[in-house]
Amino acid sequence: MTELGIRLKEAREEKGMSLADLQAVTKIQKRYLTALEEGNYEIIPGKFYVRAFIKQYAEAVGLNSELLFEEYKKDIPNSYNDDVSERISSIKPQKELPKSASKALELLPTLLVTAGIIVVIAIIYVVIQTVNGGGDQHKADNPKTEESQSKYEVPKDSPLTKEKKENGGADEDKKEEDQQKADKKEKLSIKATDSKGSSTTYEVSGADKLELEVKATEKVWIRVRDGEGQSLKEGMMKKGETFEKNITDQKQIDLRIGYAPGTEIKLNGEVLSYELDPKSVMTQNITIQNKKEEKSS
């Protein structure tokens, strides 16, 4: 085993994770994880993937991948950059287009915009003509409609009209009251305030009560701690499993997500949008700070 492989294995065992758990978090086959621990890079399909696998393994067990690459350079194949150079050199440059074709391409956006304007004008003209023609035809077919309607209008001073106004006014008052209550209702605000490496801090405000919900859309490993470091949840979660916790009285919650693409976080039913792309940073540290505003007496 290489020094790097020993370091990775020790970090995994400290986390209490088996190779099967690590495979579920990183989506890397167990035999490749074993190869990384043993320094047996020959079985990994192409040296290009060695560095990527080491990075995912390190992040899943809480190690800084960049520091590992610097500290254990001798344990990582030096041909990684050579493979990248060969792939880049194998790309054939595109053939230059003839000058006449280049000019045509330059004029193409202008031509498309002009054609689009003409089409829009034509559509508007057709719609106007259709509406006007339909209105005139309707009047010609029903010349007595307006007159008939006026004959059967309810007089303004009739009891029926007064009752309708009273009921309508009550409904309007109720709608206005409901709208005022809705406007006074506090809205939840979730804001990312800091992001470094694989860690992001979110500030949450505007809610009297705060409910945390963590749902596994795939098999994942998570850890949830309160502001004092007390563990609220730690371990593997099956697909479809949900962890819920009222965190209204907590000033801060810390989450360690083993596989972000398979983990959904909600606050009061509102999905927390990852500041860091889960597909790029699969293992993330999430800090939620509850900035509940104190109401004046």
Side-chain angles (χ1 to χ4, degrees):
M1 297 178 67
T2 61
E3 294 181 7
L4 173 59
I6 295 172
R7 181 71 184 93
L8 292 174
K9 184 176 181 180
E10 289 177 349
R12 174 176 62 79
E13 292 176 345
E14 288 176 2
K15 288 286 184 182
M17 298 175 69
S18 65
L19 286 174
D21 293 337
L22 193 58
Q23 176 179 275
V25 172
T26 62
K27 307 302 180 184
I28 299 173
Q29 294 183 23
K30 190 187 298 184
R31 60 195 185 101
Y32 295 147
L33 297 174
T34 302
L36 293 178
E37 292 182 353
E38 296 177 352
N40 184 18
Y41 303 137
E42 300 298 327
I43 71 169
I44 295 177
K47 296 178 180 179
F48 176 80
Y49 294 96
V50 173
R51 195 179 187 91
F53 286 176
I54 292 175
K55 184 176 186 299
Q56 286 184 254
Y57 189 122
E59 291 180 349
V61 297
L63 298 176
N64 189 313
S65 59
E66 297 301 326
L67 294 179
L68 287 179
F69 290 142
E70 183 65 26
E71 184 177 354
Y72 300 102
K73 290 191 292 187
K74 63 179 182 178
D75 291 341
I76 302 174
N78 294 326
S79 59
Y80 171 74
N81 291 329
D82 295 338
D83 288 346
V84 176
S85 299
E86 289 178 5
R87 295 186 181 200
I88 294 175
S89 62
S90 64
I91 299 174
K92 296 181 180 180
Q94 296 181 350
K95 294 182 180 180
E96 294 184 358
L97 294 172
K99 292 183 178 180
S100 58
S102 299
K103 291 181 178 180
L105 289 176
E106 291 177 0
L107 293 174
L108 183 59
T110 303
L111 295 174
L112 290 175
V113 171
T114 304
I117 293 173
I118 293 172
V119 171
V120 171
I121 293 173
I123 292 173
I124 293 173
Y125 176 79
V126 172
V127 171
I128 292 174
Q129 292 298 318
T130 302
V131 171
N132 290 339
D136 295 340
Q137 184 65 32
H138 178 72
K139 289 181 180 179
D141 294 340
N142 302 280
K144 298 183 179 180
T145 302
E146 295 181 1
E147 182 180 354
S148 300
Q149 290 178 346
S150 63
K151 288 182 179 179
Y152 293 97
E153 287 182 355
V154 180
K156 295 182 179 179
D157 298 332
S158 71
L160 180 61
T161 303
K162 292 181 180 180
E163 182 180 356
K164 182 177 181 182
K165 286 184 178 180
E166 291 176 358
N167 293 337
D171 291 340
E172 290 297 328
D173 291 341
K174 187 176 185 306
K175 290 180 180 179
E176 184 176 352
E177 184 180 350
D178 293 341
Q179 183 62 39
Q180 290 176 353
K181 289 182 180 179
D183 293 339
K184 291 181 180 179
K185 186 178 181 180
E186 295 177 333
K187 295 182 179 180
L188 182 68
S189 172
I190 304 173
K191 181 180 179 182
T193 58
D194 189 27
S195 183
K196 294 181 181 178
S198 59
S199 301
T200 306
T201 299
Y202 299 85
E203 284 187 1
V204 181
S205 60
D208 291 332
K209 294 183 180 181
L210 194 59
E211 293 284 344
L212 170 67
E213 179 182 338
V214 182
K215 182 177 180 180
T217 57
E218 296 184 33
K219 185 179 180 181
V220 296
W221 180 90
I222 70 162
R223 182 185 67 206
V224 183
R225 292 178 178 175
D226 61 19
E228 298 179 355
Q230 182 177 357
S231 178
L232 303 178
K233 171 72 175 177
E234 183 171 2
M236 298 298 300
M237 292 181 63
K238 298 179 181 179
K239 180 178 180 181
E241 184 177 349
T242 301
F243 168 74
E244 297 179 347
K245 182 70 177 179
N246 186 316
I247 58 172
T248 304
D249 298 331
Q250 298 293 334
K251 294 183 177 180
Q252 179 171 312
I253 293 293
D254 297 305
L255 298 93
R256 173 73 174 175
I257 308 299
Y259 184 60
T263 308
E264 184 181 76
I265 303 172
K266 289 184 179 180
L267 294 169
N268 287 3
E270 184 174 342
V271 178
L272 183 144
S273 179
Y274 285 100
E275 184 72 9
L276 301 174
D277 185 1
K279 295 181 180 179
S280 301
V281 185
M282 296 184 180
T283 302
Q284 297 194 25
N285 297 309
I286 304 294
T287 298
I288 299 173
Q289 295 181 345
N290 187 0
K291 298 294 183 179
K292 181 179 180 182
E293 297 180 359
E294 296 182 0
K295 295 184 179 179
S296 59
S297 56

